[in-house]
Amino acid sequence: MLTHHSLQFLSNLEQNNNREWFHANRKDYEQTKVEFENLCQEILNGVAQFQENLVNTSVKSCILRINRDIRFSADKSPYKKYLGAGFGPGGKSSGKVDFYLHIQPNNESFLGGGMWAPTGSQLASFRQEIDYSPHILKGIIEEDTFKSYFNEIHGERVKKMPKGYAADHPDIELLKYKQLFFVHKYTDSEVISENFASEVISGCKILKPYLDYVNNLFFGEED
């Protein structure tokens, strides 16, 4: 499990985001790293019980590096102010739509997943599926448990109706999405609680039908 130490380290890192401070506090980072890896291993074990393509995935392949890629960024801070992990077959670089866990102090931690950076053809397929069979997606994301848990939708939308669709289409609001990423946020007290891993596993189970829907649509497969 994560402890207050890990959240405090991330808070301190945000205030001292430079290599000198990081190296001076390397032991604190190593403790945070171990705590997060242990948490992710517990989550991975639990999710693999109902997501079979995760069975042979190693936890280290799921965890994002804390170093930022600053080559093309105006922000030259060398480190991320959060911990992240992507749970997909083979790890975070599966290329599929995976479960994403984000740990950040000040109640900014969350579990999320969904359509985030689709190709043009994937977005076209998504919209076509909504046009032809909207009840499938709506049956997943409008289900009471899903709506209650994943009550935040992140994603860019077009201002006008996508080309080829009527302005009075009954599912105009869904068709406008270019991204459709669902999020459930956790408080800091939830993150450091003993049952946090179980809570995240339960959240993944709720999210799974939507990720299966998108993966089947984009890649012709689901677990």
Side-chain angles (χ1 to χ4, degrees), residues 97 113-118 154-156 178-181 210 214 218:
V97 181
M115 184 176 69
W116 186 250
H154 292 197
E156 185 180 351
K178 296 172 65 177
Q179 304 162 319
L180 191 61
F181 191 92
Y210 173 59
V214 180
F218 288 177

Side-chain angles (χ1 to χ4, degrees), residues 21-36:
W21 182 90
F22 189 88
H23 288 297
N25 292 271
R26 188 83 193 188
K27 287 185 178 180
D28 286 335
Y29 167 65
E30 293 297 339
Q31 181 180 335
T32 297
K33 183 179 178 182
V34 169
E35 288 186 4
F36 187 57

